[in-house]
Amino acid sequence: MDRPTVCLDDEQIEMFHRTGYLVLPAITTPEEVERLQSVYDQLFATKAGRAQGDHLDLVTTDEDDQTPVLPQILNPSKYAPALVDTQLRANAEAIARQLLGPEAYFAGDHAILKPPHTPASTPWHQDEAYAQPEWDYNYINFWAPLQEATLENGCMQFVPGSHRQEVLPHRPIGNDPRVIGLEVDEPERVAAGAVACPIPAGGATIHHGRTLHYTGPNQSNQPRRAYIMIFETPRKPRATPREFPWLAIQRTKWQERSAAAQGDKA
Ligand SMILES: O=C(O)CCC(=O)C(=O)O
């Protein structure tokens, strides 16, 4: 593993805990971004992980014969080991320990591609809305675009301080239980005061698992590639029960494919 080359100062650490997000203009080098770009493009071009239930469309019913609108790959480093030993991962891990403490570990990665002229936004949501309600979580996400991220191509936007709220009511996008992507209820109200965070290639944003966030459509002529790494501290069973009814109603093709892939392994 590469040695970390970046470290947060006290002001950045305080800012993250106060606002629930942070913008880092440089977490890796332009050379590494270029290398990772071709690994990333190859993963999407070959539909890596489709049979294993790790390749899906976040915003549609995700039929096999459909061209995906907002393709996502879960656990891409399982299919491309070149994503593991990187300066990006080494720096993210060191920063995660600064923010979460020495117990923080890499908990997974995913990738969301917005092809050129993708009309779909990634709607306002909190990541913890996708998690299992029985557990208490403490985790952060590094969102690393593998080119510049701008308002035009779909950079991250955050609601400062929203990480201090509980998980808000969500629903499947378009209220369609066949769609895996989630959106928060009443986005116009809860996302007031949002801040857009354009960043150069080689930069990243960091957000807490409860921070409300969103990315807009990709209106540019180039793909918008986002590679996301999750770091967490050990989960604990929750003392106070909660329910996420939006997960209970979902009946997605992704669930079918994942169940079939599990069956194949058994
Ligand atoms: O890349 C995107 O469009 C959204 C990313 C996101 O929601 C996340 O990293 O949690």
Side-chain angles (χ1 to χ4, degrees), residues 58 70 72 110-114 120-123 125-127 130 141-143 154-156 205 207 213-216 224-229:
L58 201 51
L70 204 53
Q72 178 179 26
H110 65 105
I112 300 179
L113 171 68
K114 289 200 183 195
S121 62
T122 309
H125 67 281
Q126 294 164 297
D127 291 333
Y130 286 91
N141 290 257
F142 289 75
W143 186 87
C155 65
M156 275 287 216
T205 59
H207 64 274
H213 58 285
Y214 161 95
T215 67
R224 192 235 55 183
R225 309 167 184 88
Y227 175 58
I228 299 124
M229 291 165 289

Side-chain angles (χ1 to χ4, degrees), residues 4-8 12 22-30 32-33 87-88 91-92 95 142-145 198-206:
T5 53
V6 179
C7 123
L8 301 182
Q12 288 173 305
L22 201 60
V23 178
L24 303 176
I27 187 172
T28 182
T29 60
E32 187 166 85
V33 170
Q87 193 62 64
L88 177 63
N91 282 337
I95 292 170
F142 289 75
W143 186 87
I199 41 174
T205 59
I206 309 175

Side-chain angles (χ1 to χ4, degrees), residues 20-40:
Y21 72 94
L22 201 60
V23 178
L24 303 176
I27 187 172
T28 182
T29 60
E31 294 73 31
E32 187 166 85
V33 170
E34 209 179 305
R35 215 166 43 244
L36 296 181
Q37 236 186 47
S38 66
V39 173
Y40 190 101

